Amino acid sequence: METMLDYINEEEVTLKNILDKFTLKKVSGFKKINNLLILATGSSYNACLAAKVTLEKFANISVTIEEPYNFNHYGRVSAAVDAVLAVSQSGKSASTIDAIAKLKKEGLFTLALTSDITSPIAGAVDEVIDLEMGIEKVGFVTKGYVTTVLQLFLLGLTIGHNKGTLTPKQADFYCDELDKVITAIPAVIAKTNDFFTLHEDIFKLGTRFVAIGYGPNWGTAKEFETKFTETVRKPSQGFELEAYMHGPYLEADSEHILFFIETKSVNEARSHALKSYMAPYVGKTLTITTQTTKAPEKLGLEIECDELVSCLALVIPFQILAYKIATAKGINLSQRIFDDFDRVLKSKV
């Protein structure tokens, strides 16, 4: 039976194939996009949040991300929005399908990003973007998450190219940065396995997990929250760096394990300051960073890359740790729970 680890181990090859086939092309409708509304939920939402900063820069657009169910019932589309992107790995998210169909009727240019180009969501939009990753059969998505992030980056490059705001030289630079990150994935997996072994005892005892990130890696922190909640099944939460300082820190105690997600950035010093302050009050502070480090409390991925693409690498340790910590705690992830949930709640079509 396939596990999360099987799909994590496929990530390098899958992403490499997508990047190698990528070419800048002209797409009707892309050059008119200035304000993009994205509809996504779950890990798809987290991937969009991680890609948002980069997508905006590459494409020279403004991006708004909405939860489709809430938007469908209470939201109002801004007059500035000129395109809508629905993101659904399975293509069967009922709320996303309903929302995108409604917006298409309003005359907006609609796109879908999905792994199933024959799915209901693909038939509801003007333009379909294939995730190019096949079908991920394990419910705790991993390969689908990083593939979504990469495809959103490439969508940004394509829109920027169509608008003429991104030069071929700039596109080549960022493609090289992406290639650097993707090539490093096997080493990231190996380093994370060693890091888990080093800290396995405290991970097994952990009852409250928190991740704190900034910039693109706010989305990484939110995906940590989703993956740990789904698998480790202990209270887990992901915060943007500054948001954590405005209240959430007050619950900290000796049972908390704090992960700090760091890249070279103007925000790095503030992350260090928060980590130093919180260390005496929590059970453990750990760092996942793109930089090189020998400190046992830090997992250094040793990837010199632009911060804009760092989230493609920094999420992978959390995917691995989610699986390994759950397994260490005796949780059998192959045993389905709440098996009738989708049928009863009608969350998928």
Side-chain angles (χ1 to χ4, degrees):
M1 181 177 289
E2 291 173 315
T3 70
M4 289 169 65
L5 291 183
D6 292 313
Y7 287 104
I8 292 168
N9 286 323
E10 293 175 6
E11 289 178 345
E12 182 211 5
V13 172
T14 301
L15 297 182
K16 193 83 170 174
N17 286 339
I18 293 169
L19 185 62
D20 286 347
K21 289 190 295 182
F22 173 71
T23 56
L24 291 171
K25 56 187 178 182
K26 296 294 183 180
V27 180
S28 177
F30 276 17
K31 64 182 178 181
K32 296 180 180 179
I33 298 177
N34 292 301
N35 292 279
L36 178 67
L37 171 64
I38 299 180
L39 301 172
T41 195
S43 286
S44 292
Y45 183 99
N46 301 337
C48 293
L49 183 59
K52 179 180 186 293
V53 174
T54 307
L55 177 56
E56 288 181 324
K57 183 174 178 63
F58 286 178
N60 191 31
I61 60 175
S62 294
V63 173
T64 303
I65 310 169
E66 293 278 2
E67 291 276 3
Y69 185 86
N70 185 73
F71 182 81
N72 221 11
H73 288 81
Y74 304 103
R76 182 177 178 181
V77 64
S78 167
V81 169
D82 39 40
V84 186
L85 170 66
V87 182
S88 174
Q89 188 173 328
S90 68
K92 297 176 181 178
S93 174
S95 59
T96 309
I97 294 166
D98 289 346
I100 197 74
K102 183 183 294 185
L103 291 167
K104 185 177 181 180
K105 288 179 181 177
E106 295 186 22
L108 290 169
F109 180 60
T110 57
L111 307 93
L113 180 58
T114 180
S115 64
D116 184 355
I117 59 172
T118 65
S119 63
I121 207 163
V125 298
D126 299 308
E127 186 85 24
V128 181
I129 304 169
D130 188 354
L131 277 170
E132 299 181 69
M133 53 154 286
I135 304 299
E136 190 168 9
K137 296 177 182 177
V138 174
F140 317 113
V141 300
T142 51
K143 184 171 73 168
Y145 178 90
V146 294
T147 304
T148 300
V149 171
L150 177 61
Q151 291 286 12
L152 289 170
F153 287 170
L154 300 181
L155 174 63
L157 293 177
T158 303
I159 294 173
H161 170 68
N162 276 261
K163 294 177 67 176
T165 57
L166 188 79
T167 68
K169 185 177 180 180
Q170 289 172 316
D172 287 344
F173 169 79
Y174 285 114
C175 283
D176 287 344
E177 290 293 287
L178 288 169
D179 184 67
K180 189 189 307 180
V181 170
I182 294 167
T183 301
I185 289 176
V188 170
I189 293 172
K191 291 174 190 294
T192 305
N193 287 333
D194 292 341
F195 189 73
F196 169 78
T197 301
L198 182 62
H199 298 286
E200 182 175 0
D201 289 343
I202 193 163
F203 287 147
K204 286 167 70 174
L205 293 172
T207 60
R208 174 77 164 111
F209 298 89
V210 173
I212 300 164
Y214 49 83
N217 290 293
W218 176 18
T220 303
K222 295 305 290 183
E223 178 60 7
F224 151 87
E225 176 183 308
T226 298
K227 279 294 151 290
F228 269 56
T229 301
E230 290 175 336
T231 59
V232 180
R233 297 167 190 170
K234 295 292 182 183
S236 304
Q237 205 162 0
F239 293 98
E240 189 275 328
L241 174 64
E242 192 68 22
Y244 182 79
M245 301 184 189
H246 288 256
Y249 72 94
L250 292 168
E251 67 152 343
D253 62 33
S254 61
E255 294 187 358
H256 287 213
I257 296 175
L258 267 59
F259 291 98
F260 287 82
I261 309 166
E262 295 180 350
T263 59
K264 284 185 179 179
S265 164
V266 294
N267 294 300
E268 188 178 13
R270 192 148 177 78
S271 182
H272 288 174
L274 176 61
K275 181 168 40 182
S276 296
Y277 181 89
M278 296 304 300
Y281 301 103
V282 298
K284 193 74 173 177
T285 58
L286 300 166
T287 304
I288 314 293
T289 176
T290 52
Q291 299 186 57
T292 301
T293 176
K294 299 299 182 184
E297 299 83 14
K298 296 181 178 182
L299 171 53
L301 304 186
E302 301 181 62
I303 305 172
E304 288 290 331
C305 66
D306 192 293
E307 183 186 13
L308 289 173
V309 302
S310 64
C311 59
L312 198 59
L314 285 164
V315 73
I316 295 172
F318 293 115
Q319 295 177 338
I320 296 168
L321 291 175
Y323 178 84
K324 286 185 167 286
I325 294 172
T327 302
K329 287 180 175 289
I331 299 170
N332 182 2
L333 295 175
S334 66
Q335 183 176 337
R336 291 179 63 89
I337 58 175
F338 305 112
D339 208 25
D340 61 348
F341 187 88
D342 287 341
R343 177 179 60 80
V344 175
L345 276 297
K346 298 179 174 58
S347 59
K348 300 281 179 70
V349 297

